């Protein structure tokens, strides 16, 4: 893992990962301002936070098809270019540009986020789950930067439009690095044909267990990205404090994103680790949205630990439950496609609830109940099983700690 190719890939993975969350987290601290200046209702604001997640889910299954046609490396370059274009478009003074640009950014994130786990499995198969933790840490850092710097950038640059557009510079920087330094595929003499296609994977309950776990925990994440600052403002925070509270929560995701795969390796399977991080998520939401305001910072930290760990483990399941990079790519497209499409209902649902007059406490208890449902799928997805590339069937041997 210490050779130059591996180190270069890890650095590129981090650079790309930093770009896959600011497009969404940078909007949330400005949502109240957007509602006032753009005249968005709570439902329209919910649609704005939902749209990139929905497009993320719809585009994810396209990633393996594009990778097969033009290669994973070029597909990821195209995704970064699309991301930069969407980030620029959403700040232009053109009717509908905010929504169209957000959709473009979400589609780019869906393609890029689907490709990276398979590339990790291909480049570093023996450490794929641990490298997935590092990749998740980069995602969390990007999300924290988007949340924490959104309001300061608005003040510095003079408008929320310029603030939203400025994140395209980070995407263009990652695109330049990836384009000139991306790893090249190493062709083998005679690749083994896989008999396990998409339909075969869909027939396996494990695919659905991982997909539903991914969808429910992602729904929590995108509700936080889209609505946490607004819900905190409703509790009495000012706009900047609400944004920084979310940023602190996302920053706390860094440690758990990196550490959760290590903890998961200590047991026979991932079920205890999955339940632990979900418990932290539920407790953190309660402390922020229900408990007295004095619990703000502990709540932000515990929520971050829970969400960083749950997302890291969700991505780790894509490599732990598959035999090689090809099957990891297929499962990644299915799980992230279906999971994120399901997750898109979360932010939109919160917007509808707010439009209907629901208070913050009611929304918090509904979210905690949803986490309880997610625990059930965690118990199923966390078992020590793996999909075999040749048959599509489950294996229970050799899964253990190597991934």
């Amino acid at each position: 893992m210490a050779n130059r190719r591996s180190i270069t890939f890890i650095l590129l993975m981090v650079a790309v990962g930093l770009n896959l969350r600011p497009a969404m987290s940078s909007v949330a601290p400005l949502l109240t301002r957007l509602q006032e200046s753009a005249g968005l209702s709570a439902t329209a604001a919910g649609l704005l936070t939902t749209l990139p997640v929905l497009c993320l889910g719809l585009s994810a299954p396209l990633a393996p098809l594009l990778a097969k046609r033009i290669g994973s490396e070029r597909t990821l370059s195209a995704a970064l270019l699309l991301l930069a274009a969407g980030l620029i478009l959403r700040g232009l003074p053109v009717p509908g540009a905010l929504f169209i640009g957000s959709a473009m950014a979400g589609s780019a994130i869906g393609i890029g986020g689907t490709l990276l786990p398979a590339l990790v499995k291909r480049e570093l198969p023996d450490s794929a789950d641990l490298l997935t933790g590092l990749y998740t840490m980069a995602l969390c850092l990007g999300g924290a930067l988007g949340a924490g710097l959104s309001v300061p950038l608005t003040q510095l640059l003079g408008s929320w439009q310029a603030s939203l557009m400025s994140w395209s510079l980070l995407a263009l920087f990652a695109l330049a690095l990836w384009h000139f330094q991306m790893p090249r595929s190493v062709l083998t003499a005679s690749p083994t044909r896989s008999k396990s296609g998409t339909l075969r994977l869909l027939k396996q309950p494990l695919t659905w267990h991982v997909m539903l776990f991914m969808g429910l925990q992602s729904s929590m994440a995108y509700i936080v990205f889209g609505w946490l600052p607004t819900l905190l403002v409703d509790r009495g925070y000012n706009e900047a404090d609400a944004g920084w509270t979310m940023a602190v929560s996302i920053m706390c995701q860094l440690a758990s994103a990196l550490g959760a795969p290590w903890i998961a390796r200590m047991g026979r399977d991932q079920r205890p680790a999955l339940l632990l991080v979900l418990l932290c998520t539920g407790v953190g939401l309660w402390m922020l949205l229900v408990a007295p305001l004095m619990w703000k910072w502990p709540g932000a930290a515990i929520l971050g630990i829970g969400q960083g760990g749950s997302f890291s483990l969700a991505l780790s399941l894509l490599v732990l439950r598959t035999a090689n990079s090809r099957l990891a790519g297929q499962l990644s497209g299915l799980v992230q496609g279906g999971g994120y499409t399901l997750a898109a209902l979360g932010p939109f649902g919160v917007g509808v609830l707010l439009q209907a007059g629901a208070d913050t406490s009611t929304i918090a208890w509904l979210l905690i109940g949803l986490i309880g449902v997610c625990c059930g799928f965690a118990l199923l997805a966390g078992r020590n099983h793996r999909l075999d590339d040749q048959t599509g069937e489950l294996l229970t041997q050799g899964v253990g700690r190597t991934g």
Side-chain angles (χ1 to χ4, degrees), residues 198-242:
T198 300
L199 292 179
R200 187 182 291 274
L201 284 178
L202 284 173
K203 293 178 182 178
Q204 291 299 325
L206 178 59
T207 300
W208 291 94
H209 299 157
V210 176
M211 182 189 299
L212 290 169
F213 172 75
M214 169 69 83
L216 290 173
Q217 69 84 28
S218 294
S219 183
M220 293 297 107
Y222 290 114
I223 287 170
V224 169
F225 278 142
W227 285 108
L228 182 61
T230 300
L231 295 174
L232 293 177
V233 167
D234 287 344
R235 294 204 76 196
Y237 293 67
N238 63 47
E239 188 181 55
D241 285 346

mmCIF file of all heavy atoms in Angstrom, residues 198-242:
data_model
loop_
_atom_site.group_PDB
_atom_site.id
_atom_site.type_symbol
_atom_site.label_atom_id
_atom_site.label_comp_id
_atom_site.label_asym_id
_atom_site.label_seq_id
_atom_site.Cartn_x
_atom_site.Cartn_y
_atom_site.Cartn_z
ATOM 1 N N THR A 198 -27.323 -7.347 -12.746
ATOM 2 C CA THR A 198 -28.151 -6.530 -11.876
ATOM 3 C C THR A 198 -29.384 -7.267 -11.393
ATOM 4 O O THR A 198 -29.742 -7.223 -10.214
ATOM 5 C CB THR A 198 -28.563 -5.251 -12.624
ATOM 6 O OG1 THR A 198 -27.385 -4.528 -12.995
ATOM 7 C CG2 THR A 198 -29.446 -4.380 -11.767
ATOM 8 N N LEU A 199 -30.053 -7.980 -12.313
ATOM 9 C CA LEU A 199 -31.276 -8.686 -11.921
ATOM 10 C C LEU A 199 -30.992 -9.763 -10.883
ATOM 11 O O LEU A 199 -31.781 -9.974 -9.957
ATOM 12 C CB LEU A 199 -31.937 -9.304 -13.158
ATOM 13 C CG LEU A 199 -32.520 -8.307 -14.163
ATOM 14 C CD1 LEU A 199 -33.116 -9.036 -15.357
ATOM 15 C CD2 LEU A 199 -33.587 -7.442 -13.496
ATOM 16 N N ARG A 200 -29.856 -10.439 -11.023
ATOM 17 C CA ARG A 200 -29.505 -11.467 -10.046
ATOM 18 C C ARG A 200 -29.264 -10.849 -8.672
ATOM 19 O O ARG A 200 -29.663 -11.403 -7.644
ATOM 20 C CB ARG A 200 -28.270 -12.242 -10.511
ATOM 21 C CG ARG A 200 -27.937 -13.447 -9.639
ATOM 22 C CD ARG A 200 -26.679 -14.139 -10.131
ATOM 23 N NE ARG A 200 -26.899 -14.780 -11.408
ATOM 24 C CZ ARG A 200 -27.390 -16.012 -11.549
ATOM 25 N NH1 ARG A 200 -27.727 -16.706 -10.487
ATOM 26 N NH2 ARG A 200 -27.540 -16.534 -12.743
ATOM 27 N N LEU A 201 -28.599 -9.708 -8.678
ATOM 28 C CA LEU A 201 -28.364 -9.033 -7.396
ATOM 29 C C LEU A 201 -29.674 -8.593 -6.741
ATOM 30 O O LEU A 201 -29.836 -8.677 -5.528
ATOM 31 C CB LEU A 201 -27.467 -7.812 -7.593
ATOM 32 C CG LEU A 201 -25.977 -8.072 -7.815
ATOM 33 C CD1 LEU A 201 -25.249 -6.757 -8.034
ATOM 34 C CD2 LEU A 201 -25.369 -8.804 -6.640
ATOM 35 N N LEU A 202 -30.616 -8.135 -7.562
ATOM 36 C CA LEU A 202 -31.887 -7.675 -7.018
ATOM 37 C C LEU A 202 -32.694 -8.817 -6.399
ATOM 38 O O LEU A 202 -33.583 -8.573 -5.580
ATOM 39 C CB LEU A 202 -32.710 -6.997 -8.106
ATOM 40 C CG LEU A 202 -32.273 -5.586 -8.507
ATOM 41 C CD1 LEU A 202 -33.054 -5.092 -9.706
ATOM 42 C CD2 LEU A 202 -32.426 -4.623 -7.337
ATOM 43 N N LYS A 203 -32.382 -10.044 -6.775
ATOM 44 C CA LYS A 203 -33.095 -11.194 -6.208
ATOM 45 C C LYS A 203 -32.554 -11.592 -4.839
ATOM 46 O O LYS A 203 -33.145 -12.431 -4.163
ATOM 47 C CB LYS A 203 -33.006 -12.387 -7.158
ATOM 48 C CG LYS A 203 -33.769 -12.183 -8.466
ATOM 49 C CD LYS A 203 -33.597 -13.380 -9.400
ATOM 50 C CE LYS A 203 -34.331 -13.153 -10.721
ATOM 51 N NZ LYS A 203 -34.135 -14.303 -11.649
ATOM 52 N N GLN A 204 -31.422 -11.006 -4.467
ATOM 53 C CA GLN A 204 -30.810 -11.356 -3.193
ATOM 54 C C GLN A 204 -31.304 -10.431 -2.073
ATOM 55 O O GLN A 204 -31.201 -9.206 -2.192
ATOM 56 C CB GLN A 204 -29.282 -11.264 -3.287
ATOM 57 C CG GLN A 204 -28.655 -12.324 -4.158
ATOM 58 C CD GLN A 204 -28.935 -13.723 -3.630
ATOM 59 O OE1 GLN A 204 -28.992 -13.940 -2.421
ATOM 60 N NE2 GLN A 204 -29.116 -14.666 -4.530
ATOM 61 N N PRO A 205 -31.849 -10.986 -0.984
ATOM 62 C CA PRO A 205 -32.305 -10.137 0.126
ATOM 63 C C PRO A 205 -31.210 -9.230 0.676
ATOM 64 O O PRO A 205 -31.494 -8.101 1.096
ATOM 65 C CB PRO A 205 -32.756 -11.164 1.182
ATOM 66 C CG PRO A 205 -33.114 -12.392 0.398
ATOM 67 C CD PRO A 205 -32.143 -12.405 -0.746
ATOM 68 N N LEU A 206 -29.947 -9.697 0.659
ATOM 69 C CA LEU A 206 -28.861 -8.880 1.194
ATOM 70 C C LEU A 206 -28.759 -7.546 0.465
ATOM 71 O O LEU A 206 -28.480 -6.505 1.072
ATOM 72 C CB LEU A 206 -27.540 -9.643 1.097
ATOM 73 C CG LEU A 206 -26.293 -8.898 1.583
ATOM 74 C CD1 LEU A 206 -26.431 -8.488 3.040
ATOM 75 C CD2 LEU A 206 -25.040 -9.751 1.390
ATOM 76 N N THR A 207 -28.970 -7.558 -0.860
ATOM 77 C CA THR A 207 -28.938 -6.314 -1.627
ATOM 78 C C THR A 207 -29.959 -5.318 -1.086
ATOM 79 O O THR A 207 -29.663 -4.134 -0.896
ATOM 80 C CB THR A 207 -29.231 -6.597 -3.111
ATOM 81 O OG1 THR A 207 -28.245 -7.503 -3.625
ATOM 82 C CG2 THR A 207 -29.195 -5.312 -3.930
ATOM 83 N N TRP A 208 -31.148 -5.798 -0.805
ATOM 84 C CA TRP A 208 -32.214 -4.926 -0.304
ATOM 85 C C TRP A 208 -31.942 -4.476 1.121
ATOM 86 O O TRP A 208 -32.257 -3.331 1.479
ATOM 87 C CB TRP A 208 -33.557 -5.649 -0.388
ATOM 88 C CG TRP A 208 -33.994 -5.831 -1.810
ATOM 89 C CD1 TRP A 208 -33.776 -6.916 -2.602
ATOM 90 C CD2 TRP A 208 -34.679 -4.872 -2.616
ATOM 91 N NE1 TRP A 208 -34.294 -6.704 -3.857
ATOM 92 C CE2 TRP A 208 -34.855 -5.460 -3.896
ATOM 93 C CE3 TRP A 208 -35.158 -3.589 -2.395
ATOM 94 C CZ2 TRP A 208 -35.499 -4.788 -4.936
ATOM 95 C CZ3 TRP A 208 -35.806 -2.920 -3.436
ATOM 96 C CH2 TRP A 208 -35.967 -3.527 -4.687
ATOM 97 N N HIS A 209 -31.359 -5.362 1.932
ATOM 98 C CA HIS A 209 -31.042 -4.967 3.306
ATOM 99 C C HIS A 209 -30.034 -3.822 3.320
ATOM 100 O O HIS A 209 -30.199 -2.834 4.054
ATOM 101 C CB HIS A 209 -30.481 -6.163 4.084
ATOM 102 C CG HIS A 209 -31.436 -7.306 4.199
ATOM 103 N ND1 HIS A 209 -31.033 -8.609 4.429
ATOM 104 C CD2 HIS A 209 -32.795 -7.341 4.111
ATOM 105 C CE1 HIS A 209 -32.085 -9.390 4.469
ATOM 106 N NE2 HIS A 209 -33.161 -8.652 4.276
ATOM 107 N N VAL A 210 -28.985 -3.952 2.503
ATOM 108 C CA VAL A 210 -27.965 -2.901 2.440
ATOM 109 C C VAL A 210 -28.556 -1.627 1.849
ATOM 110 O O VAL A 210 -28.285 -0.510 2.318
ATOM 111 C CB VAL A 210 -26.742 -3.376 1.625
ATOM 112 C CG1 VAL A 210 -25.718 -2.256 1.478
ATOM 113 C CG2 VAL A 210 -26.090 -4.589 2.284
ATOM 114 N N MET A 211 -29.393 -1.777 0.814
ATOM 115 C CA MET A 211 -30.001 -0.617 0.170
ATOM 116 C C MET A 211 -30.898 0.156 1.127
ATOM 117 O O MET A 211 -30.836 1.391 1.197
ATOM 118 C CB MET A 211 -30.819 -1.056 -1.046
ATOM 119 C CG MET A 211 -31.458 0.088 -1.826
ATOM 120 S SD MET A 211 -32.608 -0.492 -3.090
ATOM 121 C CE MET A 211 -31.506 -1.465 -4.129
ATOM 122 N N LEU A 212 -31.730 -0.552 1.883
ATOM 123 C CA LEU A 212 -32.648 0.126 2.791
ATOM 124 C C LEU A 212 -31.909 0.758 3.972
ATOM 125 O O LEU A 212 -32.280 1.842 4.439
ATOM 126 C CB LEU A 212 -33.719 -0.851 3.274
ATOM 127 C CG LEU A 212 -34.713 -1.265 2.181
ATOM 128 C CD1 LEU A 212 -35.570 -2.430 2.639
ATOM 129 C CD2 LEU A 212 -35.590 -0.083 1.776
ATOM 130 N N PHE A 213 -30.862 0.088 4.444
ATOM 131 C CA PHE A 213 -30.047 0.721 5.473
ATOM 132 C C PHE A 213 -29.396 1.981 4.933
ATOM 133 O O PHE A 213 -29.409 3.039 5.585
ATOM 134 C CB PHE A 213 -28.977 -0.244 5.991
ATOM 135 C CG PHE A 213 -27.992 0.414 6.915
ATOM 136 C CD1 PHE A 213 -28.347 0.726 8.214
ATOM 137 C CD2 PHE A 213 -26.714 0.751 6.478
ATOM 138 C CE1 PHE A 213 -27.466 1.368 9.070
ATOM 139 C CE2 PHE A 213 -25.820 1.384 7.322
ATOM 140 C CZ PHE A 213 -26.193 1.689 8.627
ATOM 141 N N MET A 214 -28.826 1.893 3.740
ATOM 142 C CA MET A 214 -28.199 3.059 3.115
ATOM 143 C C MET A 214 -29.208 4.193 2.962
ATOM 144 O O MET A 214 -28.924 5.359 3.280
ATOM 145 C CB MET A 214 -27.621 2.680 1.749
ATOM 146 C CG MET A 214 -27.170 3.863 0.894
ATOM 147 S SD MET A 214 -25.720 4.713 1.530
ATOM 148 C CE MET A 214 -24.419 3.654 0.871
ATOM 149 N N GLY A 215 -30.414 3.866 2.496
ATOM 150 C CA GLY A 215 -31.413 4.891 2.252
ATOM 151 C C GLY A 215 -31.870 5.591 3.509
ATOM 152 O O GLY A 215 -31.972 6.824 3.549
ATOM 153 N N LEU A 216 -32.137 4.831 4.572
ATOM 154 C CA LEU A 216 -32.651 5.433 5.803
ATOM 155 C C LEU A 216 -31.594 6.274 6.516
ATOM 156 O O LEU A 216 -31.874 7.384 6.977
ATOM 157 C CB LEU A 216 -33.190 4.342 6.726
ATOM 158 C CG LEU A 216 -34.482 3.666 6.246
ATOM 159 C CD1 LEU A 216 -34.837 2.498 7.147
ATOM 160 C CD2 LEU A 216 -35.623 4.667 6.195
ATOM 161 N N GLN A 217 -30.356 5.744 6.597
ATOM 162 C CA GLN A 217 -29.337 6.553 7.267
ATOM 163 C C GLN A 217 -28.970 7.773 6.425
ATOM 164 O O GLN A 217 -28.670 8.837 6.975
ATOM 165 C CB GLN A 217 -28.102 5.698 7.601
ATOM 166 C CG GLN A 217 -27.269 5.225 6.441
ATOM 167 C CD GLN A 217 -26.260 6.250 5.969
ATOM 168 O OE1 GLN A 217 -25.801 7.075 6.727
ATOM 169 N NE2 GLN A 217 -25.940 6.201 4.687
ATOM 170 N N SER A 218 -29.026 7.644 5.097
ATOM 171 C CA SER A 218 -28.749 8.802 4.239
ATOM 172 C C SER A 218 -29.850 9.841 4.351
ATOM 173 O O SER A 218 -29.593 11.047 4.269
ATOM 174 C CB SER A 218 -28.603 8.363 2.780
ATOM 175 O OG SER A 218 -27.460 7.556 2.609
ATOM 176 N N SER A 219 -31.090 9.385 4.527
ATOM 177 C CA SER A 219 -32.193 10.315 4.707
ATOM 178 C C SER A 219 -31.950 11.199 5.929
ATOM 179 O O SER A 219 -32.162 12.420 5.889
ATOM 180 C CB SER A 219 -33.509 9.547 4.870
ATOM 181 O OG SER A 219 -34.590 10.439 4.981
ATOM 182 N N MET A 220 -31.455 10.583 7.015
ATOM 183 C CA MET A 220 -31.115 11.371 8.207
ATOM 184 C C MET A 220 -30.035 12.403 7.881
ATOM 185 O O MET A 220 -30.110 13.572 8.286
ATOM 186 C CB MET A 220 -30.604 10.448 9.322
ATOM 187 C CG MET A 220 -31.609 9.495 9.909
ATOM 188 S SD MET A 220 -32.973 10.333 10.726
ATOM 189 C CE MET A 220 -34.251 10.022 9.519
ATOM 190 N N ALA A 221 -29.028 11.972 7.129
ATOM 191 C CA ALA A 221 -27.918 12.868 6.802
ATOM 192 C C ALA A 221 -28.383 14.059 5.979
ATOM 193 O O ALA A 221 -28.000 15.209 6.247
ATOM 194 C CB ALA A 221 -26.836 12.098 6.048
ATOM 195 N N TYR A 222 -29.241 13.813 4.984
ATOM 196 C CA TYR A 222 -29.654 14.909 4.113
ATOM 197 C C TYR A 222 -30.720 15.788 4.752
ATOM 198 O O TYR A 222 -30.861 16.953 4.381
ATOM 199 C CB TYR A 222 -30.110 14.349 2.760
ATOM 200 C CG TYR A 222 -28.946 13.812 1.984
ATOM 201 C CD1 TYR A 222 -28.831 12.460 1.692
ATOM 202 C CD2 TYR A 222 -27.909 14.655 1.593
ATOM 203 C CE1 TYR A 222 -27.730 11.963 1.017
ATOM 204 C CE2 TYR A 222 -26.813 14.177 0.909
ATOM 205 C CZ TYR A 222 -26.718 12.822 0.622
ATOM 206 O OH TYR A 222 -25.634 12.348 -0.042
ATOM 207 N N ILE A 223 -31.452 15.254 5.714
ATOM 208 C CA ILE A 223 -32.325 16.111 6.513
ATOM 209 C C ILE A 223 -31.473 17.082 7.335
ATOM 210 O O ILE A 223 -31.785 18.275 7.442
ATOM 211 C CB ILE A 223 -33.234 15.257 7.417
ATOM 212 C CG1 ILE A 223 -34.310 14.578 6.577
ATOM 213 C CG2 ILE A 223 -33.884 16.116 8.506
ATOM 214 C CD1 ILE A 223 -35.097 13.532 7.327
ATOM 215 N N VAL A 224 -30.379 16.575 7.904
ATOM 216 C CA VAL A 224 -29.461 17.447 8.649
ATOM 217 C C VAL A 224 -28.827 18.472 7.717
ATOM 218 O O VAL A 224 -28.766 19.672 8.023
ATOM 219 C CB VAL A 224 -28.388 16.609 9.366
ATOM 220 C CG1 VAL A 224 -27.273 17.494 9.913
ATOM 221 C CG2 VAL A 224 -29.019 15.807 10.501
ATOM 222 N N PHE A 225 -28.345 18.020 6.553
ATOM 223 C CA PHE A 225 -27.748 18.941 5.586
ATOM 224 C C PHE A 225 -28.746 20.018 5.166
ATOM 225 O O PHE A 225 -28.397 21.184 5.009
ATOM 226 C CB PHE A 225 -27.284 18.186 4.335
ATOM 227 C CG PHE A 225 -25.946 17.530 4.474
ATOM 228 C CD1 PHE A 225 -25.709 16.288 3.909
ATOM 229 C CD2 PHE A 225 -24.917 18.135 5.159
ATOM 230 C CE1 PHE A 225 -24.479 15.674 4.032
ATOM 231 C CE2 PHE A 225 -23.676 17.535 5.282
ATOM 232 C CZ PHE A 225 -23.463 16.300 4.716
ATOM 233 N N GLY A 226 -30.000 19.610 4.933
ATOM 234 C CA GLY A 226 -30.972 20.528 4.375
ATOM 235 C C GLY A 226 -31.727 21.364 5.385
ATOM 236 O O GLY A 226 -32.080 22.515 5.089
ATOM 237 N N TRP A 227 -31.974 20.820 6.586
ATOM 238 C CA TRP A 227 -32.920 21.475 7.466
ATOM 239 C C TRP A 227 -32.429 21.777 8.882
ATOM 240 O O TRP A 227 -33.097 22.520 9.608
ATOM 241 C CB TRP A 227 -34.194 20.623 7.581
ATOM 242 C CG TRP A 227 -35.052 20.692 6.369
ATOM 243 C CD1 TRP A 227 -35.247 19.705 5.437
ATOM 244 C CD2 TRP A 227 -35.846 21.799 5.931
ATOM 245 N NE1 TRP A 227 -36.108 20.136 4.458
ATOM 246 C CE2 TRP A 227 -36.488 21.414 4.733
ATOM 247 C CE3 TRP A 227 -36.065 23.085 6.435
ATOM 248 C CZ2 TRP A 227 -37.334 22.268 4.039
ATOM 249 C CZ3 TRP A 227 -36.912 23.938 5.740
ATOM 250 C CH2 TRP A 227 -37.544 23.526 4.560
ATOM 251 N N LEU A 228 -31.312 21.189 9.314
ATOM 252 C CA LEU A 228 -30.899 21.395 10.702
ATOM 253 C C LEU A 228 -30.750 22.874 11.057
ATOM 254 O O LEU A 228 -31.272 23.320 12.094
ATOM 255 C CB LEU A 228 -29.609 20.631 11.006
ATOM 256 C CG LEU A 228 -29.118 20.754 12.460
ATOM 257 C CD1 LEU A 228 -30.158 20.193 13.435
ATOM 258 C CD2 LEU A 228 -27.776 20.046 12.645
ATOM 259 N N PRO A 229 -30.061 23.693 10.246
ATOM 260 C CA PRO A 229 -29.965 25.108 10.621
ATOM 261 C C PRO A 229 -31.333 25.789 10.738
ATOM 262 O O PRO A 229 -31.552 26.595 11.641
ATOM 263 C CB PRO A 229 -29.132 25.714 9.478
ATOM 264 C CG PRO A 229 -28.327 24.572 8.958
ATOM 265 C CD PRO A 229 -29.248 23.390 9.049
ATOM 266 N N THR A 230 -32.255 25.469 9.822
ATOM 267 C CA THR A 230 -33.591 26.066 9.885
ATOM 268 C C THR A 230 -34.314 25.648 11.158
ATOM 269 O O THR A 230 -34.959 26.469 11.823
ATOM 270 C CB THR A 230 -34.414 25.643 8.652
ATOM 271 O OG1 THR A 230 -33.749 26.098 7.473
ATOM 272 C CG2 THR A 230 -35.818 26.241 8.695
ATOM 273 N N LEU A 231 -34.214 24.368 11.517
ATOM 274 C CA LEU A 231 -34.853 23.886 12.740
ATOM 275 C C LEU A 231 -34.227 24.526 13.974
ATOM 276 O O LEU A 231 -34.922 24.830 14.954
ATOM 277 C CB LEU A 231 -34.743 22.356 12.818
ATOM 278 C CG LEU A 231 -35.496 21.577 11.741
ATOM 279 C CD1 LEU A 231 -35.187 20.079 11.839
ATOM 280 C CD2 LEU A 231 -36.998 21.801 11.848
ATOM 281 N N LEU A 232 -32.924 24.745 13.937
ATOM 282 C CA LEU A 232 -32.260 25.402 15.061
ATOM 283 C C LEU A 232 -32.650 26.877 15.155
ATOM 284 O O LEU A 232 -32.799 27.412 16.261
ATOM 285 C CB LEU A 232 -30.744 25.253 14.929
ATOM 286 C CG LEU A 232 -30.190 23.834 15.085
ATOM 287 C CD1 LEU A 232 -28.680 23.816 14.851
ATOM 288 C CD2 LEU A 232 -30.525 23.250 16.451
ATOM 289 N N VAL A 233 -32.806 27.541 14.014
ATOM 290 C CA VAL A 233 -33.274 28.932 14.020
ATOM 291 C C VAL A 233 -34.663 29.004 14.642
ATOM 292 O O VAL A 233 -34.973 29.936 15.408
ATOM 293 C CB VAL A 233 -33.270 29.518 12.589
ATOM 294 C CG1 VAL A 233 -34.035 30.838 12.537
ATOM 295 C CG2 VAL A 233 -31.835 29.729 12.106
ATOM 296 N N ASP A 234 -35.505 28.017 14.328
ATOM 297 C CA ASP A 234 -36.840 27.971 14.937
ATOM 298 C C ASP A 234 -36.761 27.828 16.459
ATOM 299 O O ASP A 234 -37.666 28.252 17.178
ATOM 300 C CB ASP A 234 -37.643 26.797 14.363
ATOM 301 C CG ASP A 234 -38.096 27.049 12.938
ATOM 302 O OD1 ASP A 234 -38.065 28.221 12.515
ATOM 303 O OD2 ASP A 234 -38.471 26.088 12.252
ATOM 304 N N ARG A 235 -35.661 27.240 16.945
ATOM 305 C CA ARG A 235 -35.490 27.080 18.397
ATOM 306 C C ARG A 235 -34.859 28.320 19.050
ATOM 307 O O ARG A 235 -34.691 28.352 20.260
ATOM 308 C CB ARG A 235 -34.611 25.864 18.691
ATOM 309 C CG ARG A 235 -35.224 24.531 18.293
ATOM 310 C CD ARG A 235 -34.611 23.409 19.114
ATOM 311 N NE ARG A 235 -35.145 23.403 20.474
ATOM 312 C CZ ARG A 235 -34.584 22.750 21.501
ATOM 313 N NH1 ARG A 235 -33.453 22.071 21.324
ATOM 314 N NH2 ARG A 235 -35.131 22.783 22.685
ATOM 315 N N GLY A 236 -34.468 29.309 18.239
ATOM 316 C CA GLY A 236 -33.938 30.538 18.809
ATOM 317 C C GLY A 236 -32.514 30.886 18.441
ATOM 318 O O GLY A 236 -31.979 31.896 18.899
ATOM 319 N N TYR A 237 -31.855 30.071 17.613
ATOM 320 C CA TYR A 237 -30.489 30.383 17.177
ATOM 321 C C TYR A 237 -30.525 31.481 16.125
ATOM 322 O O TYR A 237 -31.507 31.639 15.401
ATOM 323 C CB TYR A 237 -29.831 29.153 16.541
ATOM 324 C CG TYR A 237 -29.554 28.000 17.473
ATOM 325 C CD1 TYR A 237 -30.596 27.279 18.054
ATOM 326 C CD2 TYR A 237 -28.257 27.608 17.758
ATOM 327 C CE1 TYR A 237 -30.349 26.205 18.901
ATOM 328 C CE2 TYR A 237 -27.989 26.540 18.597
ATOM 329 C CZ TYR A 237 -29.038 25.839 19.158
ATOM 330 O OH TYR A 237 -28.796 24.787 19.986
ATOM 331 N N ASN A 238 -29.414 32.223 15.996
ATOM 332 C CA ASN A 238 -29.300 33.088 14.825
ATOM 333 C C ASN A 238 -28.720 32.277 13.666
ATOM 334 O O ASN A 238 -28.257 31.156 13.849
ATOM 335 C CB ASN A 238 -28.465 34.341 15.121
ATOM 336 C CG ASN A 238 -27.020 34.021 15.481
ATOM 337 O OD1 ASN A 238 -26.353 33.241 14.814
ATOM 338 N ND2 ASN A 238 -26.519 34.630 16.562
ATOM 339 N N GLU A 239 -28.742 32.879 12.488
ATOM 340 C CA GLU A 239 -28.375 32.145 11.266
ATOM 341 C C GLU A 239 -26.947 31.622 11.307
ATOM 342 O O GLU A 239 -26.672 30.464 10.982
ATOM 343 C CB GLU A 239 -28.573 33.064 10.056
ATOM 344 C CG GLU A 239 -28.418 32.386 8.715
ATOM 345 C CD GLU A 239 -28.603 33.379 7.575
ATOM 346 O OE1 GLU A 239 -27.882 34.408 7.556
ATOM 347 O OE2 GLU A 239 -29.460 33.141 6.708
ATOM 348 N N ALA A 240 -26.000 32.460 11.724
ATOM 349 C CA ALA A 240 -24.591 32.057 11.753
ATOM 350 C C ALA A 240 -24.344 30.956 12.782
ATOM 351 O O ALA A 240 -23.628 29.993 12.511
ATOM 352 C CB ALA A 240 -23.705 33.264 12.043
ATOM 353 N N ASP A 241 -24.937 31.102 13.985
ATOM 354 C CA ASP A 241 -24.749 30.083 15.021
ATOM 355 C C ASP A 241 -25.312 28.740 14.590
ATOM 356 O O ASP A 241 -24.729 27.683 14.868
ATOM 357 C CB ASP A 241 -25.422 30.524 16.329
ATOM 358 C CG ASP A 241 -24.627 31.599 17.057
ATOM 359 O OD1 ASP A 241 -23.449 31.799 16.685
ATOM 360 O OD2 ASP A 241 -25.183 32.232 17.971
ATOM 361 N N ALA A 242 -26.462 28.775 13.911
ATOM 362 C CA ALA A 242 -27.059 27.527 13.433
ATOM 363 C C ALA A 242 -26.148 26.853 12.406
ATOM 364 O O ALA A 242 -25.961 25.632 12.423
ATOM 365 C CB ALA A 242 -28.437 27.803 12.831
#
